[in-house]
Amino acid sequence: MTDTTIAIIGGTGLTSLNGLEITRREVMHTPFGEPSGPLTFGRLSGHDVVFLARHGYRHTIPPHCVNYRANLWALHHAGVERVIAVAAVGGITPEMRPCRIVFPDQIVDYTWSRSHTFFEEDLTHVTHIDFTEPYCQALREVFIASARDIGLDAVEQATYAATQGPRLESRAEINRLERDGCDLVGMTGMPETALARELGLCYATCAVVANWAAGRGEGEITMEEVGENVTKAMTDVRALLETVIPRL
Ligand code: HPA
């Protein structure tokens, strides 16, 4: 595997990557439209990586407007084989406290009306991808081992609920997600995770708990608290990435 096969999709709080020595930026046009921004090629911890800010480099694209197909297609077209997806989430179950890093192993899709598949026209090949294990286990294992080695108190298994947004959830909705077995809630996990699988990419999520989900903390959820917690946790995310990348 060549170095250029690793991509990092940055979410809220990670619109740029400290320590990334940028070598070039490439504007890509895809059959599915424009990605969230140019692909940023560079070196991190001595390895070639491609970075893309999911919500745009100025954080202007809300979760339901992200062109997930264009983003994944562009990365695949650039030769990427492994994708590290960083995503801010709300914590539902008691372990999922703000600022904690979590590596989900399952996902439930509550999104609607998003362009969620590449299989729309050419139906001559298999369109029903297996999704029993939605995340790349090999990549998850590298996350888990790296987190342990740097002494990060990460959660190694969790179920991610992908909601439509852009509004946050009601307390009753969060109660329902918990009854469904979900530990975390975020707005970008789907269709990104499934599209990656359709393209045969090895994809795993490093979730960053930004807030207690609705009804799980005190009072209302504010964007200030989300921003502050994500900013705090980014130090851990960067340390993790610097350990993970050389091991891939
Ligand atoms: N709900 C949905 N998505 C989120 C949340 C939340 O509470 N926090 C960060 N992303």
Side-chain angles (χ1 to χ4, degrees):
M1 196 174 74
T2 62
D3 271 354
T4 46
T5 57
I6 304 166
I8 299 164
I9 302 181
T12 299
L14 195 72
T15 48
S16 64
L17 203 52
N18 272 4
L20 177 70
E21 299 158 41
I22 299 171
T23 48
R24 70 191 165 95
R25 288 200 170 85
E26 195 173 328
V27 175
M28 306 271 289
H29 304 284
T30 84
F32 305 96
E34 308 301 306
S36 298
L39 300 190
T40 305
F41 292 82
R43 287 181 72 77
L44 187 71
S45 311
H47 294 263
D48 288 341
V49 300
V50 188
F51 179 78
L52 179 63
R54 184 185 289 111
H55 301 287
Y57 293 97
R58 287 176 300 113
H59 205 271
T60 48
I61 311 170
H64 60 297
C65 297
V66 170
N67 191 338
Y68 296 96
R69 291 197 300 184
N71 286 353
L72 273 297
W73 193 95
L75 292 174
H76 186 240
H77 195 70
V80 162
E81 290 174 359
R82 295 181 184 205
V83 180
I84 296 172
V86 181
V89 296
I92 300 175
T93 47
E95 281 200 304
M96 309 294 153
R97 56 178 153 70
C99 296
R100 208 155 185 203
I101 295 201
V102 185
F103 309 129
D105 65 322
Q106 282 296 323
I107 190 163
V108 181
D109 188 7
Y110 300 92
T111 67
W112 43 271
S113 89
R114 298 183 179 187
S115 296
H116 65 287
T117 180
F118 290 108
F119 300 137
E120 279 179 338
E121 281 162 22
D122 176 10
L123 302 183
T124 54
H125 54 287
V126 176
T127 56
H128 304 291
I129 50 151
D130 177 79
F131 206 49
T132 311
E133 299 301 334
Y135 298 100
C136 175
Q137 186 57 19
L139 186 48
R140 276 180 28 75
E141 277 167 18
V142 178
F143 284 173
I144 290 167
S146 302
R148 285 184 188 169
D149 289 350
I150 62 171
L152 232 166
D153 181 27
V155 182
E156 300 176 358
Q157 245 186 346
T159 299
Y160 176 118
T163 55
Q164 176 68 2
R167 67 165 177 83
L168 295 164
E169 299 71 31
S170 69
R171 186 152 32 89
E173 285 171 332
I174 292 299
N175 289 342
R176 173 200 173 199
L177 298 185
E178 185 166 20
R179 284 195 301 276
D180 283 357
C182 299
D183 302 291
L184 302 169
V185 56
M187 300 175 192
T188 58
M190 289 296 274
E192 195 172 271
T193 310
L195 291 168
R197 180 62 57 82
E198 284 190 352
L199 293 174
L201 297 167
C202 166
Y203 172 104
T205 292
C206 167
V208 179
V209 183
N211 55 280
W212 283 115
R216 294 295 187 269
E218 308 274 312
E220 291 182 5
I221 300 164
T222 66
M223 284 307 106
E224 287 72 41
E225 107 184 69
V226 166
E228 278 171 23
N229 287 331
V230 170
T231 304
K232 267 190 232 157
M234 276 310 142
T235 313
D236 288 342
V237 171
R238 291 198 169 98
L240 181 72
L241 290 176
E242 281 168 16
T243 312
V244 164
I245 301 283
R247 296 183 181 190
L248 294 178

